Every structure is written in C-alpha cells, then in structure tokens.
C-alpha cells in the first residue's frame, strides 16, 4: 500500500471519528456560523446604503451584493485554525507520540479541518440560502455550470493554500518559543489582503498590481470574484494558474521546513 493511499484511509477514518465527536456541539456550530455570516451582511447593508446615497464605486450594486452574500461561505470553506494548536503541540512535546505512529500529526489536523467544515456547512448553508433569496434580484448568478465548477476548484485550492501557510507558521515553533504573535499577524494581514473585510475591487488604483498578485487574494477574494462575474475567461485562467502556483510553491517550502524542523526537534521523553 502506498503512503498516499494509507494516509487517505487514515484521513477518512479520522474525519469520521472527528465528526462523531464534534457533532455533540451542534448548537455551538450554529452560533459560530451565525457570527460568521453577520459581518458580511452588515457590510453588505452599509455598502448598499452608500451606493443608494450616490457613492461612486468602481463596482455596481450587483457585484457588492453577490460578493458579500458568498463571502461567509468562502471564508469558512477556505479557513484554517490549526496554526496555534500545531505550534503548541510542537512546543509542549506532544509531537513526540505522533513520531512513532503510522500517520503524521498533520494528518490529524487535516481530518479535524475537514470534519469541522463538514459540520459547519449544515449550519451555514441554510443561513446563506435565506440571505440569497432575500437579495436574489440584486445578484449576479452565472447560468453556466463551468463557472460554478471553477468556483469549486478555486475554493479547494484556496483551502489548501491557507492550510499550507498555517503549517509554515506553526513549523517555526521548532526554533521559536512562541509563534502566537505571528499567528495573530497572519490573521490580521489575511483579513485585509484576502478581501474578507473590504472587497479588493475597492482598493486604491495605485495598489492594484500588488493587491491582484499577492497570495492572500487567492484564499477568499478570487473564488468570490469568479461568481461575482467581473473576470474574463483569460483572467480566470491566469488567476487559477497563479493560485495553483502559490499552492505548489508554498507546499514544497512547507514540506522542506517541516522536514528540517523534525530533524531539529527534541523534547523531554522524545
């Protein structure tokens, strides 16, 4: 059995176990997802009010509405919360027990990430469906299945990209006592540069070159832009190519850093 096949089987079984364990907290998932969708809806109402009062924006009301209705779903689907937990496991020596197991500690976090997203979808999708129905006459809804397929592919790549960035930050715990500040900095920077707070289309024109090509755009904004409808076919292909490039490059760097960290790792009882 190849390593990939074995890891996939481990991920499947651990994901099922995590779902069974975390399904106990169904009420918590509903509250988390309610909070997740509140911020985009508040932002949507603010920007629609600004447009209604004559604000001159580089995008129209349909783009703004589509963007913020989808934002909660994309933010949840591409998010990762494991950097602090993984760094803590390294710092406290909990990694030691995983080094004698047939699967990596990273597989555990993959399973945890997948299980939580699976459960959160049950709470989030109905909420977004209600908001979608309310604003259905003011949204861009692509008719072709191709654009929705690209949207799904882009979300998967965005989730892998965020997860890989988290591994890179957490792996610094092999050499640093505390990476908490770096984790918080990543969250703040990503919130702005991913488009999770303000659509990147509203950024100043002088910043377009940097904003359009930095990696955080491809974790949230780019998937939403695919549906919002302002990207041409050439823009879509170029964007997916850049997104895939970031995933491959950062995955290679993360693998090298993680391997170097394991060689430098030591802990009491290890």
């Amino acid at each position: 059995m190849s390593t990939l096949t074995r890891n996939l089987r481990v991920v499947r079984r651990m994901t099922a176990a995590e779902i069974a364990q975390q399904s106990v907290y169904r009420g918590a998932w509903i509250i988390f997802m309610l909070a997740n969708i509140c911020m985009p809806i508040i932002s949507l109402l603010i920007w629609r009010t600004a447009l209604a009062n004559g604000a001159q924006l580089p995008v129209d009301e349909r783009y703004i509405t589509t963007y913020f209705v989808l934002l909660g779903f994309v933010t949840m689907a591409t998010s990762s919360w494991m950097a602090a937990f993984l760094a803590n496991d390294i710092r406290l020596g909990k990694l030691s027990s995983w080094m004698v197991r047939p699967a990596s500690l990273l597989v555990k976090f993959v399973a945890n990430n997948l299980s939580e997203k699976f459960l959160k979808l049950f709470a989030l999708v109905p909420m977004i469906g209600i908001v979608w129905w309310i604003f259905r006459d003011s949204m861009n809804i692509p008719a072709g299945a191709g654009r929705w397929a690209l949207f799904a592919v882009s979300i998967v790549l965005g989730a892998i990209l965020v997860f890989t960035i988290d591994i890179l930050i957490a792996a610094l715990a092999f050499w640093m006592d505390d990476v908490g500040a770096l984790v918080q900095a990543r969250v703040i920077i990503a919130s702005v540069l991913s488009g999770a707070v303000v659509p990147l289309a509203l950024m100043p024109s002088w910043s377009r070159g940097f904003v359009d090509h930095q990696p955080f755009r491809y974790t949230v904004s780019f998937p939403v832009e695919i549906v919002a409808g302002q990207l041409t076919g050439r823009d879509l292909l170029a964007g997916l190519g850049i997104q895939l490039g970031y995933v491959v490059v950062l995955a290679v760097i993360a693998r090298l850093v993680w391997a170097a960290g394991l060689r430098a790792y030591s802990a009491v009882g290890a």
Side-chain angles (χ1 to χ4, degrees), residues 6 10 19-20 35 48 57 73 86 99 148 162 170 200 220 227:
R6 185 187 64 197
V10 173
I19 290 174
R48 283 173 65 94
L57 302 179
F73 170 76
L86 177 56
M99 297 181 75
W148 288 107
V162 175
L200 297 183
V220 174
V227 176

Side-chain angles (χ1 to χ4, degrees), residues 73-106:
F73 170 76
V74 175
T75 301
M76 186 281 294
T78 62
S79 64
S80 171
W81 45 84
M82 66 113 178
F85 295 103
L86 177 56
N88 209 40
D89 285 352
I90 295 171
R91 184 173 62 84
L92 298 179
K94 295 181 180 178
L95 175 62
S96 302
S97 63
W98 283 89
M99 297 181 75
V100 294
R101 296 182 185 182
S104 167
L105 175 61
L106 298 180

Side-chain angles (χ1 to χ4, degrees), residues 78-80 82 157-167 186 219:
T78 62
S79 64
S80 171
M82 66 113 178
L157 290 175
I160 297 173
L161 183 56
V162 175
F163 193 81
T164 305
I165 292 172
D166 266 11
I167 292 176
R186 198 278 289 174
T219 62

Side-chain angles (χ1 to χ4, degrees), residues 234-255:
R234 184 175 180 178
D235 293 334
L236 287 173
L237 292 177
L240 285 172
I242 294 173
Q243 190 180 33
L244 180 60
Y246 272 127
V247 169
V248 172
V249 170
L250 288 176
V252 171
I253 295 174
R255 182 179 176 82

Side-chain angles (χ1 to χ4, degrees), residues 136-254:
R136 63 189 183 284
D137 294 331
S138 303
M139 293 182 60
N140 293 326
I141 303 177
R147 193 166 285 257
W148 288 107
L150 292 177
F151 174 66
V153 170
S154 184
I155 284 179
V156 173
L157 290 175
I160 297 173
L161 183 56
V162 175
F163 193 81
T164 305
I165 292 172
D166 266 11
I167 292 176
L168 268 173
I169 295 174
L172 296 178
F174 284 116
W175 299 278
M176 300 172 62
D177 290 335
D178 188 0
V179 298
L182 290 174
V183 173
Q184 289 300 318
R186 198 278 289 174
V187 171
I188 295 171
I189 293 171
S191 297
V192 177
L193 294 182
S194 69
V197 176
V198 177
L200 297 183
L202 302 182
M203 291 290 186
S205 57
W206 55 263
S207 67
R208 298 306 314 174
F210 168 73
V211 166
D212 289 345
H213 296 93
Q214 47 85 25
F216 293 110
R217 177 198 175 200
Y218 298 92
T219 62
V220 174
S221 179
F222 181 68
V224 180
E225 292 170 27
I226 292 175
V227 176
Q230 287 204 334
L231 299 178
T232 64
R234 184 175 180 178
D235 293 334
L236 287 173
L237 292 177
L240 285 172
I242 294 173
Q243 190 180 33
L244 180 60
Y246 272 127
V247 169
V248 172
V249 170
L250 288 176
V252 171
I253 295 174

Side-chain angles (χ1 to χ4, degrees), residues 37 39-52 57 59-73 128 130-142 148 199 201-202 224-225 227-230:
I37 200 173
M39 183 65 76
I41 297 306
I42 292 171
S43 298
L44 170 61
L45 296 177
I46 291 173
W47 286 109
R48 283 173 65 94
T49 302
L51 285 167
L57 302 179
V59 292
D60 59 17
E61 184 184 72
R62 300 183 72 86
Y63 180 90
I64 288 291
T65 305
T66 308
Y67 190 95
F68 282 111
V69 169
L70 289 176
L71 186 59
F73 170 76
I128 292 180
I130 293 172
V131 178
W132 185 295
W133 184 82
I134 293 173
F135 294 103
R136 63 189 183 284
D137 294 331
S138 303
M139 293 182 60
N140 293 326
I141 303 177
W148 288 107
L202 302 182
V224 180
E225 292 170 27
V227 176
Q230 287 204 334

